[in-house]
């Protein structure tokens, strides 16, 4: 690691982040001091930026594909910024999508005011529950009109998956009782979830048309339009054909198409053999090529002044 200095707003360190078989060179920086939060920029000299938002339990380099994706996009003059939020790792159970949006706004504030090169094209890429953050950001953030595109990788329903677990209804009942007793921000019993989680967040993930419920199979086309219809920028949905968090009763390809239709300016790419995290190298290579092509079209359209995908 090499200390790069910093202002009263941030401290920057050039580092190599390594995990398992993955490593990425770049700059780690503080984008918020209260709470103190960091993000990792794969190339601060690039003027086109993808902000990557992980899912439940994720942190920096949580997915094997992030290192090769960062390298491939750098060759195309893009940087990938992996953001660490208060909800990252096991913090999500005490946070909401609104909390994430506020912290993502702080990150974008930093990118526009402090980053070495101010972004010209800026987009979001969510993985799993990070897709909910991406969708909510486009509705509730201060910088929603500064976002040029959104990529959703594995936008699957937490509610649909939780409904397959034997004690889910028991914990829904418990959470609803806690809320009725004005204890919505109290933690659920330890066996309710694999990480600490409040009654409010559990119900958000597990019950119909709550804040996190955006991609469930039983939502009508009208409901999906209400939840997703504000997505006016080009969107790419990367759907894994063998996603272990999609119940067998769900026709994933059809659902992905319905999600895209609700967003108006979205397209679907089906990764036929991929799992939730796209951990296979062949699948990850296919996904990277699709992302590179999508971003190339974004660049062309920006150069031509076009506003649609």
């Amino acid at each position: 690691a090499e200390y790069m200095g910093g202002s009263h707003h941030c401290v920057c360190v050039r580092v190599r982040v390594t995990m398992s078989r993955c490593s990425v060179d770049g700059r780690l920086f503080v984008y918020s001091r209260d709470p103190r939060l960091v993000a990792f920029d794969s190339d601060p000299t690039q003027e086109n930026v993808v902000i990557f938002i992980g899912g439940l339990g994720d942190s920096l380099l949580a997915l094997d594909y992030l290192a090769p994706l960062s390298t491939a996009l750098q060759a195309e003059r893009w940087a990938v910024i992996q953001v660490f939020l208060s909800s990252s790792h096991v913090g999500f159970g005490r946070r909401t999508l609104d909390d994430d949006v506020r912290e993502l706004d702080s990150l974008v504030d930093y990118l526009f005011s402090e980053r070495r090169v101010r972004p010209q094209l800026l987009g979001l890429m969510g993985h799993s529950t990070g897709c909910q953050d991406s969708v909510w950001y486009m509705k509730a953030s201060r910088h929603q009109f500064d976002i040029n595109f959104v990529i959703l990788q594995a936008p699957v329903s937490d509610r649909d998956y939780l409904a397959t677990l034997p004690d889910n209804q028991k914990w829904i009942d418990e959470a609803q009782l806690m809320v009725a007793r004005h204890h919505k921000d109290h933690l659920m019993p330890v066996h309710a979830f694999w990480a600490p989680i409040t009654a409010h967040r559990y119900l958000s993930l597990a019950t119909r048309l709550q804040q996190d419920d955006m991609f469930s199979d039983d939502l009508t086309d009208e409901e999906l339009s209400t939840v997703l219809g504000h997505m006016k920028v080009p969107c790419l949905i990367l759907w894994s054909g063998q996603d272990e968090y999609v119940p067998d009763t769900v026709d994933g390809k059809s659902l992905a198409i319905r999600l895209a239709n609700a967003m108006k300016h979205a397209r679907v790419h089906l990764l036929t053999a991929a799992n939730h995290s796209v951990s296979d190298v062949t699948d990850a290579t296919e996904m990277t090529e699709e992302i590179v092509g999508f971003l190339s079209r974004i660049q062309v359209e920006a150069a031509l002044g076009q506003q649609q995908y």
Side-chain angles (χ1 to χ4, degrees):
E2 179 184 353
Y3 174 64
M4 301 299 295
S7 70
H8 66 285
H9 294 296
C10 68
V11 176
C12 298
V13 183
R14 182 179 294 134
V15 297
R16 169 170 289 179
V17 175
T18 303
M19 183 176 181
S20 183
R21 303 184 303 274
C22 307
S23 67
V24 183
D25 290 324
R27 178 171 292 183
L28 184 71
F29 60 92
V30 176
Y31 69 87
S32 169
R33 286 190 174 274
D34 186 19
R36 192 172 185 86
L37 299 167
V38 301
F40 183 80
D41 191 336
S42 65
D43 190 345
T45 69
Q46 301 297 346
E47 65 178 11
N48 301 319
V49 171
V50 179
I51 298 173
F52 179 83
I53 309 165
L56 302 184
D58 288 343
S59 183
L60 301 180
L61 274 186
L63 302 163
D64 287 344
Y65 68 67
L66 279 169
L69 176 63
S70 297
T71 300
L73 291 187
Q74 188 173 0
E76 302 294 327
R77 305 186 65 80
W78 288 83
V80 176
I81 295 180
Q82 300 176 50
V83 60
F84 191 94
L85 303 167
S86 295
S87 62
S88 297
H89 201 225
V90 294
F92 64 87
R94 294 181 172 92
R95 297 292 185 269
T96 68
L97 299 185
D98 290 315
D99 296 325
D100 291 348
V101 163
R102 283 191 290 271
E103 293 177 0
L104 287 166
D105 269 341
S106 294
L107 172 62
V108 177
D109 287 341
Y110 167 88
L111 297 181
F112 284 152
S113 64
E114 297 284 340
R115 188 173 185 263
R116 180 186 300 180
V117 176
R118 191 180 193 275
Q120 298 301 306
L121 289 174
L122 179 64
L124 307 175
M125 178 176 175
H127 160 71
S128 193
T129 308
C131 296
Q132 282 123 259
D133 276 328
S134 300
V135 170
W136 198 250
Y137 193 83
M138 298 305 295
K139 175 178 284 188
S141 74
R142 291 186 285 106
H143 287 292
Q144 59 183 279
F145 298 110
D146 295 314
I147 301 301
N148 302 105
F149 61 89
V150 173
I151 300 171
L152 303 177
Q153 189 267 304
V156 303
S157 167
D158 293 287
R159 177 164 67 87
D160 281 350
Y161 174 72
L162 289 171
T164 68
L165 304 181
D167 290 331
N168 181 55
Q169 189 57 51
K170 167 187 171 182
W171 297 123
I172 289 175
D173 294 343
E174 176 71 19
Q176 289 174 334
L177 181 61
M178 292 172 66
V179 170
R181 292 174 174 172
H182 307 289
H183 295 159
K184 70 181 183 70
D185 294 323
H186 290 201
L187 292 177
M188 296 279 288
V190 68
H191 297 298
F193 211 72
W194 54 268
I197 191 167
T198 65
H200 179 266
R201 189 64 194 267
Y202 191 89
L203 291 175
S204 182
L205 293 171
T207 56
R208 198 174 195 278
L209 286 176
Q210 297 303 303
Q211 190 179 52
D212 278 283
D213 189 28
M214 301 179 183
F215 313 122
S216 296
D217 187 52
D218 67 355
L219 297 180
T220 66
D221 290 345
E222 182 179 359
E223 288 168 336
L224 287 176
S225 293
T226 299
V227 172
L228 304 173
H230 65 279
M231 303 288 285
K232 304 300 185 184
V233 298
C235 299
L236 174 63
I237 296 174
L238 298 163
W239 190 270
S240 294
Q242 303 300 318
D243 195 313
E244 61 271 30
Y245 293 105
V246 176
D248 293 338
T249 55
V250 173
D251 182 342
K253 182 178 179 180
S254 296
L255 176 57
I257 292 171
R258 293 179 61 227
L259 299 178
N261 289 339
M263 296 181 200
K264 309 301 183 186
H265 301 294
R267 59 161 293 176
V268 176
H269 182 81
L270 178 63
L271 299 162
T272 307
N275 63 7
H276 187 66
S277 299
V278 194
S279 57
D280 179 81
V281 173
T282 300
D283 297 326
T285 300
E286 178 185 346
M287 182 180 72
T288 296
E289 291 172 353
E290 182 65 22
I291 292 172
V292 168
F294 173 75
L295 295 180
S296 295
R297 290 187 287 274
I298 295 294
Q299 288 175 291
V300 169
E301 290 170 1
L304 295 174
Q306 298 176 358
Q307 298 298 316
Q308 62 182 7
Y309 183 47

